[in-house]
Every structure is written in structure tokens, then in C-alpha cells.
Amino acid sequence: SYTTDSKSREENKKTLESLYSLSVDITKIRRLKEWVLLQDVAYVTEIAGILQEMGADGTTVANIIERCPEAILRTPAEINSQRALWQLVCQNEKQLIKLIEQFPGSFFTTDYQQNQKANILFFQELGLKNNIITRFLTSAPNIFYNPVEKNKNVIETLQRNYLNLGGSEANMKIWILKLLSQNPFILLNTSTAIQENLEFLQKNDFTDQEVLQLLSKLKGFIFQLNSTTMQKSMLFSKNIFKCSDQELKQLVLKCPALLYYSVPVLEERLEGLLKEGISIAQIRETPMVLELTTQIVQYRIKKLSALGYDIKSGNLESLNGTKKDFEVTYGKIQSKKERPIFNPVAPLHIED
């Protein structure tokens, strides 16, 4: 509904004056979203007033408007509704202002308020804690744009499949909440896609228990895939590791990344490892190393080599894990290397 034809329009002088009075850096707005300055109607003073009411100081107000200039095109009524909506999950206005400053784009998208409210209430009913819902509002706002029925439908599909795969009624709620908090983008999938992916795994002889295990390990990312890409990735791994269907299944259970990553990604990572002198046999023994990017692998090998640790002759476990896991492993190898070897029968040299 906003014009973007900057050649035929002039910047709104009233808007510019109001922004200057708030010490907003207008050059940033011109660079970011100049079209905002061309609109006939803007609510600069009103929006600034609402933010100040919530406890924002002048610097914070200017920072919010610079980062999300379209905020000044929202009506005060829209912003007050959004404020009330976010207060359903925020502890207080201090927390709310902090969130708006960090994620202004999420807060000032006010076109889906009815859906947002219905989804917030649905997530609360489901048992999600308010701090998780605020995280969703800021980092995955588009899941709130869905009609609540669509999100309910996806959750029901997950619950039904969890029980069909042998999961217990008692654990189902915990499983769903964990899955959602790890990966809220599951809700952007359709119920049909979820069903198809689960059927694909069953057709490939994964038992119900193994499918459940994969779902938990993949943090729901499996639902963002499709059977064609999974089939290609599995075929690629089978050819590379020269293994039987049963062996491949065990590799996938050990390292679900073999299912999740596309063939070009797996190829690139494999190539990176081979260039470092690592063998296919070593990778097959520790496939989880394929979860790491080539850059991370190179950095870790370099650090270990500096300690005299030869990755080509050892296993790849020392490369694995998160940054924190690697630092622990590295620390252990380092302290082992630095520890002096004490010889109990060596003569002691004591100076007078």
C-alpha cells in the first residue's frame, strides 16, 4: 500500500522535521528504506511517545526507528494493540522495550494481529513457557502469521504420529514441547509433508523406534526435507561408504546429517576431509564429522596438529562435537602433552 516511486515524490518535510527532533540519523533511513520518507502520512511523534511511555530513552527510540523505519507508518492504535499482545508473554515493559530494540522488524509487523493473538494463546495452552513464546515472536515471527488452525493441524499430526510410532501418552507433551522449542519452523510445513517424510523412513526399513530416535536427534529438521532429497543423500552415502542397506541404516542413526544434508553439501565436506589426508574408512567409523563445515574441520585439525596430534593415524572423535566439546577435548590433549613424565628412580639435583 506504500508507494516506492521515489522519482515522482518528494520527502515529507513534516516527517523529516519530526525525525530530526528525535535525533534520528536520516541518512541511515535514506540508505535503508527511503520510500518511508516519501509517504504523505507518518506517525513519528506518536510512535516515539508510545515507546517512551514503555520506558525507552531518546537513544533507544532513535535506534529503533533507524533500524525499522516503517515503524513510523504504523498507526498508534496498531502499535498499542501490538503492545498489549506482546505483554501477554513479556514479564514487564522493560523486557518488552528490550525485545523491540533487538527485533524491531518482528514487533512492527502488525498485519496479522488476530492470528498472532490466537497463536500466542494456543502456545500457552499447549504448555510452552512465555520465554519460549517471546523467542518465537522475535526469531520466528512468521509462524504467528499462520491461522491458528494450521498450526494446530501440524501439532495434531505430530502427536498422532508420535503415538503411532510407539511413543507414550505420558511423554508426548514433553516431546512436542522440546521439538517445538528446538525448531519452531516445523510449523511452516504442511501436515502432508510431515506424513510423507515419516512414511519414507518406514519404507526404508527404519523401525518405529528408530524413526522416533531420528526425530528427536534431528530436532524436527526432518520435516523440512522431502523424500527425493533424502533418497539422493542416502544413495550417495551408500556408494561412498560401500555399505549394505542395513549398514547404511546404522550410519544414518549414528549421524542423521547423512539424511539431512543435500548431496552437494556432503560432497564438499567429504572432499575437505579427504584433502586433509583423512580416509573414507575413518569417516565411516565416525560419520558425525560430516556435521561440521570444512572450515571448522580445518581449524580444529590445525589446532590439534600444533600439539603434535596426528589426525590421520587416530580416530576422528577428537574433531567432533560443538565448539565447547572440542575445547574440552583440546584441553585434555594439551594437558596430557604438557604433563611432565616423572621418573621415581632418577637422581634429584639439589643445589646448596
Side-chain angles (χ1 to χ4, degrees), residues 110-259:
T110 59
D111 306 328
Y112 306 89
Q113 282 180 336
Q114 258 185 312
N115 285 357
Q116 280 186 330
K117 186 173 184 179
N119 279 306
I120 286 173
L121 297 173
F122 167 59
F123 291 142
Q124 286 176 327
E125 269 172 45
L126 204 59
L128 276 173
K129 290 191 168 67
N130 283 344
N131 64 326
I132 302 283
I133 301 174
T134 53
R135 201 180 80 212
F136 288 0
L137 276 169
T138 52
S139 58
N142 37 352
I143 67 170
F144 292 87
Y145 307 159
N146 286 338
V148 72
E149 291 70 29
K150 197 257 176 202
N151 286 341
K152 277 183 178 171
N153 201 356
V154 171
I155 297 292
E156 281 162 12
T157 303
L158 289 169
Q159 289 170 327
R160 189 172 59 251
N161 278 292
Y162 180 77
L163 295 174
N164 289 345
L165 290 165
S168 72
E169 189 87 50
N171 291 333
M172 184 175 70
K173 186 180 175 182
I174 298 164
W175 182 77
I176 286 283
L177 294 182
K178 191 177 178 186
L179 204 60
L180 268 182
S181 58
Q182 287 173 331
N183 181 16
F185 297 104
I186 295 169
L187 295 168
L188 298 179
N189 299 295
T190 63
S191 306
T192 318
I194 289 172
Q195 202 66 50
E196 281 172 3
N197 287 355
L198 292 174
E199 282 167 15
F200 166 81
L201 293 173
Q202 288 168 317
K203 278 177 197 161
N204 277 274
D205 294 328
F206 286 92
T207 65
D208 289 353
Q209 197 53 46
E210 286 167 344
V211 174
L212 263 188
Q213 190 186 326
L214 274 175
L215 296 191
S216 302
K217 274 193 173 182
L218 277 166
K219 301 177 182 175
F221 289 117
I222 191 168
F223 300 130
Q224 285 160 250
L225 302 173
N226 62 62
S227 51
T228 313
T229 55
M230 287 193 280
Q231 186 72 61
K232 284 178 182 171
S233 296
M234 282 176 73
L235 194 60
F236 172 78
S237 299
K238 189 179 178 181
N239 291 336
I240 287 294
F241 297 119
K242 297 182 171 49
C243 56
S244 67
D245 288 343
Q246 190 54 36
E247 287 167 333
L248 176 65
K249 202 175 81 163
Q250 292 312 311
L251 282 174
V252 169
L253 287 169
K254 209 173 177 183
C255 174
L258 295 176
L259 198 65

Side-chain angles (χ1 to χ4, degrees), residues 8 13 68 71 76 118-120 141 149 159 161 195 198 232 249 269-270 280 284 294 308-309 327 331:
S8 63
K13 286 190 176 66
C68 183
N119 279 306
I120 286 173
E149 291 70 29
Q159 289 170 327
N161 278 292
Q195 202 66 50
L198 292 174
K232 284 178 182 171
K249 202 175 81 163
R269 294 185 177 185
L270 202 68
I280 291 284
R284 183 174 166 169
T294 305
Y309 185 91
E327 280 165 6

